[in-house]
Each structure stands twice: as structure tokens, then as C-alpha cells.
Amino acid sequence: MPMWARLPDAAMNIVYLHGFASSAASKKAAFFAERLRGHGLTLRCPDFNEPEFASLTMSRMLDRLSREFGRFADGSIALIGSSLGGALAILAAGRFADRVDRLALLAPAVMFAKPGHHLLPPERVEEWRRKGALPVFHYGFNEERLLDFAFYTDTMQYDAFETRFTQPTLIFQGLRDASVDYRTVELFARAHPNVTLSLVDDDHQMMASLPRIWDDMEPFLELVD
């Protein structure tokens, strides 16, 4: 029996956590939702841009996720997290260990809270601090949106790399990712024996690799006999 096997009659709720400046309507979310519909399952995709992108913080994302978990009367929860959503999934696994059963992560931003690994170089962070907000290109809205400096100060409190969690975890990481260095993800995987890392020849979006990723994710979610 694989380490991630669960009781055969247990219900599995699956939640997709989108990345930074993305949305619940992303192409990856749509891909996984379609595959899960083939198994009679609905993929929950909370939108972390609500009520507005400008006031986004990691604390708000965790609170939103907690409310999402409250929708499930019973059953375990599997999280599929992309980029910053992957870091959020790791934090949630540590915080909600009694609910989260397993993680499937795509290019997780595990170093996001480390100095020098944030969105901007130090000089832009200082400008952000002075101005209180900076424009960020939002791929979900296809335009620039302001983001408050509170996002920076808040996210620096949450270190996904150092989070203690024991749930079985699959990570898929692109070797040509310009946003998340595959070497930092390798370090993370080596530090966590519950993590299985799969490196793919792809970029941050990993769109070309999604069918191959699903081939591994489907049995991990116990969706095949």
C-alpha cells in the first residue's frame, strides 16, 4: 500500500489554490477541473483576489481557505497549489493538519519569505514601502493592479520552507522556471521526507507538462483502481 493510501470509503475534497496575480479561472484550474469531472468530482477554486487584489495578504488567503474548509461537512482534503498557491498549501498543511490529507504542488514558491527571494529586488521593495502601493501586472485581469505594501510585510511572516508538515506531497517543478529556482525546490524536497519531487523540462507555467503531471497526480489522489 502506498504511503498516501486512505480508507476506501473516505470522501476526498479537492481544492485548487491559484498563484499570485492569477485567478480561480486560470488555465491550470480549468485543466484539473475537467479531469476531475471525469471522476464525478468537483474542484473547488477559491478566488484569493476577493474582495480586492490591492489588500491581498497571506493572512487573508489562509482565512479564506479556512472558510472554504468549513464548507466540507466531512472527508479529507487534498490541495493542489500553484506557485504562491503552493506555498499557501504548505502553510495550510501545517496549520490545518487534521483536515489536509495530501498536497500536489506545481512550482511552489517555497522561498517566498526568504530575504532576496520576494517579488522585487531590495531597491524596489524600499520604493514600495515609501509609496505604500505599487502596480503589479495581474494575469487574471490582464492589466496592472495596485498591491499594498502590507502584502510584503505580511507574507514575510510565513515561511513555507521551514513549515513542519507530514502529509504526503507530490511536487512538480520546471527546470526552465524563471520564477521559482528548481534548485531551491530540490533543497526543500531533500529536507522533507514526505515530499516526492518530479522535475520536468518546462517553464513556470508548465502547461505543456500538464498531461504528464496528471498521469502522476491521478493515482496520488486515489482516483484509479
Side-chain angles (χ1 to χ4, degrees):
M1 180 179 291
M3 70 174 182
W4 55 76
R6 68 180 188 277
L7 295 176
D9 60 348
M12 176 67 76
N13 304 291
I14 304 175
V15 183
Y16 180 81
L17 311 179
H18 68 76
F20 174 76
S22 182
S23 77
S26 71
K27 292 179 180 178
K28 283 198 283 289
F31 176 89
F32 292 123
E34 181 182 0
R35 297 308 185 277
L36 289 167
R37 277 195 297 271
H39 292 279
L41 297 173
T42 298
L43 180 66
R44 299 290 306 180
C45 302
D47 190 343
F48 298 112
N49 298 298
E50 297 175 350
E52 61 176 3
F53 178 68
S55 60
L56 177 69
T57 63
M58 186 65 80
S59 294
R60 193 182 85 181
M61 294 168 75
L62 283 164
D63 288 345
R64 175 69 178 84
L65 192 54
S66 178
R67 293 197 302 275
E68 190 69 30
F69 289 172
R71 296 172 179 264
F72 305 128
D74 52 28
S76 55
I77 298 170
L79 299 179
I80 303 174
S82 175
S83 194
L84 186 61
L88 175 64
I90 293 166
L91 294 167
R95 177 173 291 200
F96 309 110
D98 59 329
R99 299 299 312 275
V100 177
D101 182 81
R102 65 195 68 193
L103 311 176
L105 311 178
L106 287 73
V110 294
M111 300 294 284
F112 199 70
K114 300 291 188 184
H117 289 273
H118 214 274
L119 292 169
L120 301 171
E123 61 273 16
R124 292 300 309 281
V125 170
E126 183 55 36
E127 178 188 1
W128 196 3
R129 187 193 311 272
R130 290 197 315 271
K131 293 184 175 180
L134 280 183
V136 173
F137 188 82
H138 196 294
Y139 294 92
F141 300 129
N142 197 34
E143 65 180 18
E144 286 192 337
R145 293 284 178 100
L146 286 175
L147 181 62
D148 294 342
F149 186 68
F151 176 80
Y152 177 85
T153 56
D154 182 80
T155 53
M156 293 298 283
Q157 304 175 63
Y158 296 101
D159 191 339
F161 198 98
E162 302 297 338
T163 295
R164 303 180 101 181
F165 70 109
T166 59
Q167 295 91 331
T169 300
L170 275 183
I171 295 182
F172 303 92
Q173 176 61 48
L175 290 167
R176 295 182 282 109
D177 191 331
S179 299
V180 176
D181 191 328
Y182 76 90
R183 291 167 295 189
T184 65
V185 180
E186 283 185 316
L187 289 173
F188 178 81
R190 285 200 291 269
H192 296 82
N194 54 310
V195 170
T196 299
L197 173 62
S198 180
L199 297 174
V200 298
D201 184 18
D202 212 335
D203 58 16
H204 186 63
Q205 296 301 318
M206 290 195 286
M207 295 303 297
S209 299
L210 286 181
R212 178 251 194 241
I213 288 171
W214 178 249
D215 286 345
D216 287 351
M217 194 182 295
E218 193 175 23
F220 178 71
L221 296 174
E222 294 288 301
L223 299 178
V224 294
D225 297 330

